[in-house]
Amino acid sequence: MIKVLIGDSSERIRENLKRRLDAETAVGVCALVGGGEEAVQESLRVRPDVAVVDSALPGLDGLQVTEMLAQFAPGTGVILTALESENDLMRRAMLAGAREVLQKPFSGDELVSAIQRVHDFQERKRKSGAATTQAATGNGNGRGGGDHGPQGILVTVLAGKGGIGKSVVATSLATALAQRGESRVALVDLSLQFGDVAALLDVTQPRTIADLAAHNAVADADVVADVLSSTATGLHVLPAPASPELADYVTTQHLRVLLDELRRSHEIVVADTNTQLSEVTLEAVESSERIVLLTDYSVTGVKNTRLVMSVLGVLKVPDDKVMLVANNRDARTENSLARTQAESFLGSKIALEIPFDPAVVGAAVSRGAPVTTTAPDSTVSAAIKQLAGLIAHNSPQAPAGVAAAAAPAPAAKRQRRILGFAR
Ligand SMILES: Nc1ncnc2c1ncn2[C@@H]1O[C@H](COP(=O)(O)OP(=O)(O)OP(=O)(O)O)[C@@H](O)[C@H]1O
Ligand SMILES: [Mg+2]
């Protein structure tokens, strides 16, 4: 029997919720309260498994109640209810330590499933023990980490053209960073519709970024640790949804909370993206400490790279955050530019070139393993490790090779370029 406390200032709502939950044999309502102080007192007295508290409770409000329960009754999982999508509620709820947020009006079935999920989660947490949680997340308090801000850096791998090697580079870069053994590293697949990260690393995690979003689960340290898979090199991976239509569940608000949480529990978070500059990609770009912008040397590739640089300019992304990396340069291809031509067209130095080696990269892709483990002595691996070294060591203020950044184009011209770029 799951013991549930209900806190809402409206007696009618309290009674309705109780009536609905009484119909469930697995759930028992153990307390009904109308105010914040009462919610805390009763929770400490009856120790419910789940507390359903409204954000607008009188006295202590729902967020304050959540915070106190997270601190003093960690065995109680909190579901916060709110009348409408209050500004930034998800983030504040996460910081307070809530497990889920339910937006009013919600159905009885939605409430029952949320209670079940929170209870299951609390059970898993109890079983796995605090020590495991601490090891997996590096977060001593294990509850949202609300007492300290994100410490890690986000490195987004971006390109203006599909098939240029974003996923190959993101997976092998993240692996190389993990292999250095200096930091906890996470890789998140933001190519939400057709993400390849899970396939490239042979990860079979059934739960993905969409599960966090679809259930409106608040992405705190425990929840995120629960959906991350570990690879043999110790890299933590959050795959893209298993099927394309699930991508829509992931909003920029979810992403913001998720990326903050990942950066609280990892020193380096690498994000793979898709080529469309979707809202989700832009969210990642704007909160990145580093952007690895991949280009090839084809005329169309370099043209698109310049368009992406224009967009980054409009977004006010400082030039020194952007590291230009050339990949997939097939020297045999006609019409491809020389490196110096590409650099002069882009107005920026290429920090690093990753050699084109279809045999080595193709073998890694078909084995579902990163090139740094399948062919550690190859020139491709050497370049990826060099890139990892630049990311790990160079401060964001002084990245290598991007000194000669493009002079910003006039605003109107840049806007036009963006319109041209939007797809
Ligand atoms: N350095 C390289 N040498 C040889 N082949 C490469 C190299 N980098 C990537 N490739 C090949 O290019 C193909 C596309 O790579 P990848 O899937 O990483 O591109 P992407 O930019 O992520 O594509 P999408 O836009 O579809 O997400 C892969 O099959 C890989 O084998
Ligand atoms: Mg890809």
Side-chain angles (χ1 to χ4, degrees), residues 162-168 196 275 327-328 354-358 361-362 365:
I164 210 163
K166 293 180 293 298
S167 303
V168 164
D196 291 328
T275 303
N327 184 43
N328 230 347
I354 300 171
F356 181 73
D357 190 337
V361 178
V365 169

Side-chain angles (χ1 to χ4, degrees), residues 1-5 21-22 24-31:
M1 172 82 81
I2 308 173
K3 286 199 295 179
V4 176
L5 171 142
L21 294 181
D22 282 346
E24 296 292 317
T25 47
V27 178
V29 176
C30 62

Side-chain angles (χ1 to χ4, degrees), residues 17-38:
L17 295 182
K18 179 174 178 345
R19 233 189 331 274
R20 175 62 184 84
L21 294 181
D22 282 346
E24 296 292 317
T25 47
V27 178
V29 176
C30 62
L32 292 178
V33 297
E37 280 85 357
E38 222 189 323

Side-chain angles (χ1 to χ4, degrees), residues 23 61 105 134 191 207 218 240 254 284 308 326 343 353 366 378 395 412:
D61 69 21
Q134 202 166 334
S191 183
R207 302 180 64 196
V218 174
H254 288 125
V308 175
E343 286 179 334
E353 266 185 358
S366 47
S378 62
S395 72

Side-chain angles (χ1 to χ4, degrees), residues 105-175:
F106 48 83
S107 70
D109 288 351
E110 281 174 315
L111 176 62
V112 172
S113 332
I115 289 173
Q116 193 66 57
R117 277 196 304 276
V118 170
H119 179 253
D120 290 351
F121 181 80
Q122 295 287 113
E123 284 293 288
R124 279 206 301 279
K125 188 180 148 199
R126 248 193 294 277
K127 283 190 190 125
S128 65
T132 321
T133 303
Q134 202 166 334
T137 65
N139 182 348
N141 70 10
R143 287 285 304 221
D147 54 346
H148 60 101
Q151 302 290 317
I153 61 162
L154 175 65
V155 181
T156 297
V157 178
L158 198 65
K161 188 176 161 188
I164 210 163
K166 293 180 293 298
S167 303
V168 164
V169 170
T171 48
S172 50
L173 170 64
T175 301

